[in-house]
Amino acid sequence: MTSARGPAAHRGALRSAAGLIVCVVTLAQPSPAQQPSPAESTCEAGRAAVERGWQHWAAGEVDAAQREFRSGVRLCPTARGAYTGLGYVSLRRGLTALAIAQFDSALSRDRADLDAALGLGMAAFRGGEASRARLAFTLADSLAPGDSTAADYLS
């Protein structure tokens, strides 16, 4: 006769424990709805590249900034700041028409991008497009009333 503490009882206890472990592990894992989709993961990487691009820009590392901004666009075309960053790189390099196109692209994605509006204004001004520059600086002024850059160009 097998006691309650015999092999059969242990097998039952082991099955219960194994079932509990599977249940706990399953609950601990994020559900498919909680896990970022591949597209979201790619966009996270794109946004991170744009952030690194701005860090390089602030350090005066224009080539490195351009690489990161391009990477941001490639990974996530909607990454805020990617086209704006490319616009400033192009403007720094004297590629005015390209800068205008990049700032336009940034503003078509986010009309409230103050940096893109200011960049477009500066690029249009340098390119001799006074009316376009005025429109861009007027937009910038509406986004940040009293911004000195916009005000200087508008006066």
Side-chain angles (χ1 to χ4, degrees):
M1 173 174 194
T2 311
S3 71
R5 295 185 173 199
H10 289 290
R11 278 193 298 270
L14 286 174
R15 279 190 209 122
S16 293
L20 182 60
I21 290 169
V22 168
C23 184
V24 169
V25 169
T26 301
L27 289 173
Q29 293 178 351
S31 71
Q34 294 172 322
Q35 294 177 346
S37 71
E40 289 170 339
S41 295
T42 301
C43 264
E44 286 176 23
R47 287 187 289 273
V50 171
E51 185 60 36
R52 288 189 304 273
W54 285 116
Q55 290 167 358
H56 287 298
W57 179 260
E61 301 164 350
V62 179
D63 291 337
Q66 182 179 34
R67 278 192 303 276
E68 293 294 349
F69 292 137
R70 282 182 176 166
S71 179
V73 167
R74 183 177 41 77
L75 292 168
C76 185
T78 60
R80 190 172 198 279
Y83 287 99
T84 302
L86 286 172
Y88 279 104
V89 168
S90 296
L91 191 59
R92 166 89 47 98
R93 293 188 169 150
L95 304 170
T96 306
L98 181 57
I100 289 171
Q102 290 164 329
F103 289 128
D104 276 339
S105 186
L107 287 168
S108 74
R109 287 164 172 71
D110 181 3
R111 197 76 182 143
D113 186 340
L114 175 62
D115 292 321
L118 290 170
L120 177 59
M122 289 184 277
F125 184 82
R126 285 186 191 176
E129 298 181 36
S131 61
R132 189 169 195 182
R134 185 164 200 65
L135 285 173
F137 287 125
T138 300
L139 171 62
D141 190 53
S142 73
L143 294 172
D147 179 275
S148 62
T149 303
D152 288 348
Y153 277 95
L154 287 171
S155 60

